[in-house]
């Protein structure tokens, strides 16, 4: 009898689970279909719908038959494909947070398409599928190579994927900034617009997605067997299965990206809702996640059409705004398997000692300042400025070099404090979303509060940074500040910033070019007065850690140790958070949110042998200053006369550094 009751209970739970995800999918698709019919009735009265099939050729009939209807079908195909790709990626990597956006596949597709438009337009004669597939596949191989040594641990895969997204995203932004006339329209495509001008794209996309989906169905059995311990002894060729399924998932993502744009987090949302609605087995999730993701996308798109009042807002933006809160909820409810914080990395190999390290870093800062001030290309080639020419150039060069130096120092100090506060070597203002969130607030202030002066904007920046940092730490505390949770929270805030930026692009605000440059970490708009202000702010900021030095040192030992030694945990945490907020807020105000300095500088400072908390903080400041000065100089010279923002150069350098570190480890 107990066995019978258990079996009956199991059958009931399966039936309940199936009913759950079917119900969710049916509700989403039903609402989307109802809104589609509403939008259709606004174009063509229901009594005239038969005429659409008969080939009516008036303007409204054409808009309905060749615009609205294929748009609805494109949403179904694109959403379903992204849901299926996310399930496959999560299964093969054993990572519930894997999806094309977090693994950098979309960033690679964007870079490849942008490069093809500039240098190889002939490749696009057959469409964007091939470049998108090549770029996405290249980044996927990159992520797999650098995650293989860890056995594809979720934290490592997520970290490498996010680094790949930042690096390739920075490269793509460089291309757009230097070829804006050619690539300006990519921003609309990147936002994930479902606009269709006929059935051609849908009819071409459907069979391709069908073939790739069939390949996934054929791979389902070995893919399920991979989860069994010792699968290779049972005859499962795990490497071959992993490669084939990854190729299929990248193919689905690339096909959707080339047709409707980049719709990040949609697949993650579909897979998460499917699991929450009872789809536990792989075979069930392969049906449920595409169904739910397709419903989410078409429902969002049709709702925007019904409510936007004629303004075309890409569905990818709104889907992201819905999916990011879902991601944060997932991180709260379902901790990732590897939830231990990343240990603070000890100095490796190169250890020169504290005093020699500071002497060397000080000399490097002076040398980099001199290099950036005197050496650069001009109309007649490279030249070393001196005398009158140096005096004339210094008016333009010194303010931006000073701003880069000071901002790099403050971001590096903030990164060091965050890593000690969370005992997480991967914490930084950039990756935790603090810089992006602060930039989001400053972007809103720039566009909607234009009367604010520099001091008012600085105060708003620091307050926004404080609020966002408090939110990030609150959301991450349950998982003990696990690296994967912190990084994905940062990715979510970065996605929100990208969504707002895309909305502004759709609206067509003429100030967008200036905003894009600032968000990329540009220093070339800094004048002498602003340079003096940031020097003063940095001088004061260097004093902020001094009263907290004992608490900072104890914080890295953990709360139990600090409490036993009489440290007020809540007060210490609040004080450090306030200092980080001020440092990040001021630095972001001058150079934007995009760089790796806050993450990379503390690692380099520890490698040089800075042992105490205070030595690490100030050593990080020197490293950050040197890195940003060199990044600003490189951005000014490598593509002369074009100007590459220092933040993009720093992101590329930081990504390369962490790639090498991950490979060595």
């Amino acid at each position: 009898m107990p066995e019978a009751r258990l079996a009956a209970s199991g059958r009931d739970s399966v039936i309940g689970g199936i009913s759950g995800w079917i119900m969710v999918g049916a509700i989403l698709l039903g609402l989307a279909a109802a809104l589609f019919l509403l939008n259709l009735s606004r174009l063509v009265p229901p009594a005239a719908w038969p005429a659409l099939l008969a080939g009516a050729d008036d303007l409204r009939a054409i808009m309905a038959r060749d615009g609205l209807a294929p748009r609805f079908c494109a949403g179904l195909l694109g959403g379903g494909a992204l849901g299926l790709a996310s399930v496959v990626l999560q299964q093969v990597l054993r990572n519930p947070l894997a999806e094309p956006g977090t693994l950098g596949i979309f960033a690679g597709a964007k870079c490849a398409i942008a490069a093809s438009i500039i240098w190889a337009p002939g490749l696009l004669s057959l469409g964007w599928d091939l470049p998108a597939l090549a770029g996405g596949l290249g980044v996927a191989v990159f992520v797999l190579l650098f995650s293989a040594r860890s056995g594809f641990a979720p934290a490592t895969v997520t970290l490498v994927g996010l680094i790949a997204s930042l690096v390739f995203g920075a490269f793509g932004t460089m291309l757009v900034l230097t070829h804006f006339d050619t690539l300006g329209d990519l921003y609309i495509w990147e936002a994930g617009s479902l606009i269709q001008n006929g059935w051609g794209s849908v009819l071409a996309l459907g069979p391709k997605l069908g073939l790739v989906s069939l390949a996934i169905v054929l791979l389902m059995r070995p893919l399920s067997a991979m989860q069994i311990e010792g699968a290779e002894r049972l005859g499962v060729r795990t490497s071959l299965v992993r490669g084939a399924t990854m190729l299929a998932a990248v193919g689905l993502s690339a096909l959707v990206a080339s047709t409707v744009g980049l719709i990040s987090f949609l697949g993650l949302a579909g897979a998460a809702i499917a699991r929450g609605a009872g789809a536990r087995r792989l075979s069930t999730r392969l049906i449920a996640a595409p169904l739910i993701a397709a419903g989410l996308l078409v429902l969002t798109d049709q709702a925007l059409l019904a409510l936007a009042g004629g303004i075309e807002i890409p569905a990818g933006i709104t889907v992201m705004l819905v999916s990011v809160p879902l991601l944060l909820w997932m991180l709260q409810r379902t901790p990732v398997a590897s939830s231990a914080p990343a240990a603070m990395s000890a100095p490796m190999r190169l250890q020169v000692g504290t005093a020699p390290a500071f002497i060397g870093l000080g000399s490097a800062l002076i040398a980099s300042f001199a290099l950036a001030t005197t050496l650069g290309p001009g109309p007649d080639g490279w030249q070393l400025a001196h005398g009158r020419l140096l005096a004339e150039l210094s008016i333009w060069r010194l303010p931006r070099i000073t701003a880069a130096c000071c901002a790099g120092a403050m971001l590096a100090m903030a990164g060091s404090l965050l890593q000690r506060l969370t005992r997480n070597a991967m914490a930084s203002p950039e990756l935790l979303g603090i810089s992006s969130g602060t930039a989001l607030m400053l972007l809103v202030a720039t566009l909607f509060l234009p009367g604010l002066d520099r001091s008012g904007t600085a105060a708003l920046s620091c307050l926004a940074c404080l609020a966002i940092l408090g939110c990030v730490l609150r959301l991450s505390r349950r998982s003990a500040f696990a690296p994967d949770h912190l990084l994905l929270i940062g990715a979510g805030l970065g996605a929100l910033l990208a969504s707002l930026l895309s909305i502004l692009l759709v609206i067509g605000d003429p100030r967008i070019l200036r905003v894009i440059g600032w968000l990329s970490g540009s220093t070339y708009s800094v004048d002498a007065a602003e340079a003096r202000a940031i020097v003063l702010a940095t001088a004061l900021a260097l004093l902020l850690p001094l009263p907290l030095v004992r608490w900072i040192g104890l914080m890295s030992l953990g709360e139990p140790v600090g409490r036993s030694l009489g440290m007020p945990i809540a007060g210490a945490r609040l004080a450090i958070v306030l200092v980080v907020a001020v440092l990040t807020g001021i630095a972001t105000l001058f150079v934007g949110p995009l760089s790796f300095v806050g993450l990379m500088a503390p690692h380099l400072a520890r490698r040089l042998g800075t042992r105490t908390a205070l030595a690490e903080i100030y050593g990080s400041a020197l490293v950050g200053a040197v890195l940003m000065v060199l990044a600003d100089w490189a951005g000014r010279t490598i593509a002369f006369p074009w100007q590459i923002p220092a933040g993009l150069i720093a992101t590329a350098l930081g990504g390369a550094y962490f790639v090498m570190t991950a490979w060595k480890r």
Side-chain angles (χ1 to χ4, degrees), residues 77-462:
L77 291 174
L82 292 178
L84 181 59
S86 296
V87 171
V88 171
L89 291 171
Q90 291 170 13
Q91 180 76 6
V92 74
L93 297 175
R94 300 183 183 183
N95 185 348
L97 299 171
E99 72 110 36
T102 58
L103 296 183
I105 295 171
F106 282 155
K110 175 188 174 182
C111 281
I113 289 174
S116 299
I117 292 174
I118 297 171
W119 295 303
L123 291 177
L124 304 177
S125 59
L126 299 177
W128 288 10
D129 293 350
L130 184 59
L133 178 61
L137 187 60
V139 175
V141 171
F142 171 89
V143 172
L144 288 178
L145 283 176
F146 286 96
S147 306
R149 291 189 177 185
S150 68
F152 305 102
T156 303
V157 173
T158 304
L159 172 61
V160 176
L162 287 174
I163 289 175
S165 294
L166 286 171
V167 173
F168 287 97
F171 180 69
T173 305
M174 286 184 196
L175 294 179
V176 173
L177 288 174
T178 54
H179 301 81
F180 189 81
D181 292 341
T182 305
L183 302 177
D185 291 341
L186 274 186
Y187 276 109
I188 306 299
W189 163 80
E190 188 180 1
S193 176
L194 298 179
I195 296 176
Q196 300 294 312
N197 294 317
W199 287 92
S201 297
V202 173
L203 294 177
L205 180 63
K208 297 174 186 177
L209 294 180
L211 288 174
V212 180
S213 300
L214 178 61
I216 291 174
V217 171
L218 296 176
L219 289 167
M220 187 175 68
R221 187 164 184 169
L223 188 59
S224 301
M226 282 180 59
Q227 308 306 307
I228 302 174
E229 196 70 31
E232 291 186 352
R233 292 195 297 270
L234 300 176
V236 180
R237 302 178 65 179
T238 55
S239 299
L240 181 61
V241 173
R242 180 177 285 113
T245 49
M246 283 290 293
L247 177 61
V250 173
L252 288 173
S253 306
L255 288 171
V256 174
S258 64
T259 304
V260 300
L262 310 182
I263 307 178
S264 298
F265 295 107
L266 174 64
L268 182 66
I273 295 173
R275 280 196 304 272
R280 305 295 183 188
R281 298 175 59 187
L282 175 62
S283 57
T284 309
R285 283 186 284 121
L286 287 175
I287 300 172
L291 185 69
I292 293 172
L296 278 174
L297 183 56
V298 292
L299 175 60
T300 302
D301 186 57
Q302 294 300 315
L304 288 173
L305 283 177
L307 301 175
I311 299 176
E312 182 62 44
I313 300 177
I317 300 172
T318 310
V319 166
M320 198 177 297
L321 294 175
V322 173
S323 301
V324 168
L326 177 64
L327 170 65
L328 300 179
W329 176 82
M330 282 178 59
L331 293 174
Q332 288 292 97
R333 296 292 299 271
T334 312
V336 183
S338 60
S339 59
M344 297 291 292
S345 57
M348 299 181 297
R349 296 185 183 179
L350 180 62
Q351 297 187 40
V352 298
T354 302
F358 274 88
I359 294 173
L361 287 172
S363 302
L365 180 59
I366 294 171
S368 62
F369 222 96
L371 174 72
T373 306
T374 59
L375 183 63
D380 301 321
W382 285 79
Q383 55 187 352
L384 191 65
H386 57 85
R388 181 177 178 181
L389 178 61
L390 177 61
E392 293 175 349
L393 291 175
S394 295
I395 299 174
W396 305 101
R397 291 179 178 176
L398 275 179
R400 62 181 295 175
I401 296 170
T402 302
C405 173
C406 295
M410 285 191 283
L411 286 174
M413 290 172 65
S416 179
L417 289 170
L418 276 175
Q419 290 178 16
R420 286 187 168 270
L421 174 65
T422 62
R423 294 186 297 134
N424 185 338
M426 302 315 303
S428 77
E430 302 92 346
L431 287 188
L432 297 193
I434 299 167
S435 296
S436 295
T438 306
L440 179 62
M441 184 61 70
L442 289 176
L443 182 57
V444 173
T446 301
L447 296 175
F448 300 105
L449 299 172
L452 281 180
D453 57 10
R454 178 65 74 174
S455 59
T457 309
L460 180 65
S461 174
C462 293

